[in-house]
Amino acid sequence: MNQADFDFIASLLKQTSGLVLTPEKAYLLESRLMPVARKFGFDDLDNLVGSIRSQPSNKKLVDEITDAMTTNESLFFRDTKPFEQLKTVVIPMLLKARSATKTIRIWSAASSSGQEPYSIAMLLNDMKVQLAGWTIKIMATDISNEMLTRAKAGTYTQFEVQRGLPIATLVKYFKQEGESWILDQSIRSMVDYRHFNLLDDPRPLGQFDIVFCRNVLIYFDQQTKAEVLARMTQVMANDGVLFLGAAETVLGITDKFVPLQGHRGMYEVAQSGASQRRTA
Ligand SMILES: C[S@@+](CC[C@H](N)C(=O)[O-])C[C@H]1O[C@@H](n2cnc3c(N)ncnc32)[C@H](O)[C@@H]1O
């Protein structure tokens, strides 16, 4: 692909999703966009890019290109620690703080193929005695329609269930059918999937007590990260908790969130004037 076409695709991607395509990632274009080219009847990437350059309003093609360029790597209980923190710190805190409404809303903001929201759902199901009488809502969103379809299906390969899932959890919640492992409907039905672009206004999604926004900000530039985080504060309860990925932080990006003292990877909305909460 020539430089002008590369620049065009990089700028299109930035505009549609915030994803930054650096020159070192140019090698990804061939493998990720060739299937899209073939699907739309083009022989090669030059023809695909030529078509989109002459018809930038072709939403279907733009969406497919964006979808193909997303990195969807995910695994169950990724990094373990955030899920332990959810169980031992955040849920106990909300059991006290929400005792009047007995409702907790959780958002998995880049849910990919569903491992993250389903890990949350399985964990909460394991706490069902403590959560009896409570309404727990889990919303999971992603920009990729392909990933949303996969996530809703709740069907995983042997390789996927071997990554991160304790064997007891696998046996408890999955059924094997041929080469696939199918997640129990009781867990699948706990998650409400929606298409959502993190560049958009999240307020129509409602208010959340817990947000998982993990391993997606890394693909954005500093300004986009700051804007996404700023919008997130608009849909978070004052005492809500944000989980970021292991390689992500708010530090140096925004002062709208502050780290939760003593809990790496967890953040709370910065309170103007009042002192920050300490849970450690
Ligand atoms: C690497 S996966 C992370 C999945 C999961 N959160 C985890 O930590 O395992 C990143 C996901 O972010 C999604 N994504 C990328 N840009 C997005 C955007 N602008 N809005 C919403 N989702 C986006 C991708 O489609 C992909 O599924």
Side-chain angles (χ1 to χ4, degrees):
M1 185 180 290
N2 64 41
Q3 187 65 43
D5 281 356
F6 175 85
D7 292 345
F8 178 83
I9 292 290
S11 136
L12 178 81
L13 207 57
K14 172 87 195 318
Q15 204 188 322
T16 55
S17 64
L19 298 171
V20 175
L21 185 64
T22 50
E24 314 88 75
K25 297 269 175 72
Y27 71 94
L28 288 176
L29 287 172
E30 183 78 22
S31 60
R32 294 196 177 175
L33 293 187
M34 249 341 268
V36 180
R38 277 190 222 103
K39 183 170 170 185
F40 282 78
F42 302 111
D43 295 340
D44 54 31
L45 291 192
D46 291 346
N47 284 325
L48 173 76
V49 180
S51 167
I52 198 73
R53 289 187 81 150
S54 62
Q55 271 186 296
S57 59
N58 184 343
K59 184 164 169 3
K60 197 161 169 8
L61 186 52
V62 171
D63 284 353
E64 292 252 1
I65 290 174
T66 306
D67 200 321
M69 291 309 297
T70 57
T71 298
N72 309 115
E73 166 88 2
S74 191
L75 55 152
F76 289 102
F77 297 98
R78 186 172 195 166
D79 302 328
T80 314
K81 181 104 181 151
F83 298 92
E84 282 172 11
Q85 289 169 322
L86 177 66
K87 184 176 171 178
T88 60
V89 180
V90 184
I91 295 294
M93 178 197 91
L94 288 171
L95 283 175
K96 288 191 198 132
R98 300 289 181 275
S99 60
T101 58
K102 288 196 170 358
T103 299
I104 298 174
R105 289 194 81 224
I106 304 171
W107 179 21
S108 168
S111 52
S112 190
S113 33
Q115 286 92 331
E116 180 176 280
Y118 288 143
S119 298
I120 299 169
M122 289 185 279
L123 182 149
L124 294 176
N125 193 66
D126 286 345
M127 298 179 81
K128 67 179 169 208
V129 173
Q130 285 144 280
L131 292 169
W134 283 68
T135 303
I136 311 286
K137 295 200 179 282
I138 307 170
M139 183 178 287
T141 63
D142 203 281
I143 196 174
S144 164
N145 285 316
E146 191 185 333
M147 286 305 121
L148 288 167
T149 303
R150 276 213 57 201
K152 283 181 206 166
T155 301
Y156 297 92
T157 63
Q158 179 75 35
F159 175 69
E160 287 169 324
V161 297
Q162 271 168 350
R163 298 175 81 199
L165 259 187
I167 188 80
T169 311
L170 175 64
V171 171
K172 183 170 176 186
Y173 291 116
F174 289 77
K175 197 172 73 204
Q176 189 170 21
E177 269 184 25
E179 307 271 281
S180 305
W181 289 86
I182 300 164
L183 181 58
D184 198 84
Q185 179 59 27
S186 62
I187 300 298
R188 275 155 56 195
S189 63
M190 288 173 70
V191 182
D192 174 15
Y193 285 101
R194 307 270 179 96
H195 182 267
F196 179 73
N197 185 343
L198 287 166
L199 301 191
D200 292 338
D201 179 358
R203 283 173 296 184
L205 301 177
Q207 186 83 1
F208 297 96
D209 303 298
I210 303 168
V211 176
F212 277 68
C213 182
R214 307 193 66 234
N215 304 300
V216 62
L217 293 180
I218 33 170
Y219 301 106
F220 300 156
D221 63 18
Q222 295 287 98
Q223 191 190 336
T224 309
K225 286 179 200 185
E227 288 166 359
V228 169
L229 289 167
R231 280 191 293 273
M232 223 153 239
T233 62
Q234 300 177 320
V235 293
M236 285 188 62
N238 279 341
D239 58 353
V241 173
L242 168 71
F243 286 92
L244 295 181
E248 295 162 331
T249 180
V250 302
L251 300 173
I253 295 166
T254 180
D255 54 11
K256 298 213 179 271
F257 281 98
V258 290
L260 211 79
Q261 299 284 321
H263 301 290
R264 212 178 133 81
M266 284 169 52
Y267 301 87
E268 64 179 327
V269 178
Q271 317 285 321
S272 51
S275 60
Q276 298 295 146
R277 163 184 48 186
R278 279 173 199 273
T279 62

